[in-house]
Amino acid sequence: MGGTSSELQDLTNRLYEIAEAYEIQVSTEKSKIMVNSTTNTNEDITINGE
């Protein structure tokens, strides 16, 4: 959980790096980012450039 979009991107990057270290593949097609906010937000979160 991140308070800002940049925090969420950092956490997503860390998840990918840790998964990669354990040789776990992260499917970008199956992965979802969910936002719970009272304001409209439209930010792009990437995993490995996708």
Side-chain angles (χ1 to χ4, degrees):
M1 292 178 55
T4 65
S5 60
S6 62
E7 286 178 4
L8 184 56
Q9 181 64 64
D10 290 341
L11 290 169
T12 304
N13 292 343
R14 286 183 53 205
L15 170 68
Y16 182 79
E17 291 168 4
I18 292 169
E20 196 173 53
Y22 286 96
E23 298 181 8
I24 298 171
Q25 293 180 346
V26 177
S27 172
T28 56
E29 293 176 2
K30 295 179 181 178
S31 298
K32 303 279 188 236
I33 302 294
M34 298 178 74
V35 176
N36 183 9
S37 176
T38 57
T39 60
N40 291 337
T41 183
N42 188 13
E43 297 289 334
D44 291 326
I45 304 296
T46 61
I47 298 175
N48 196 29
E50 295 183 41

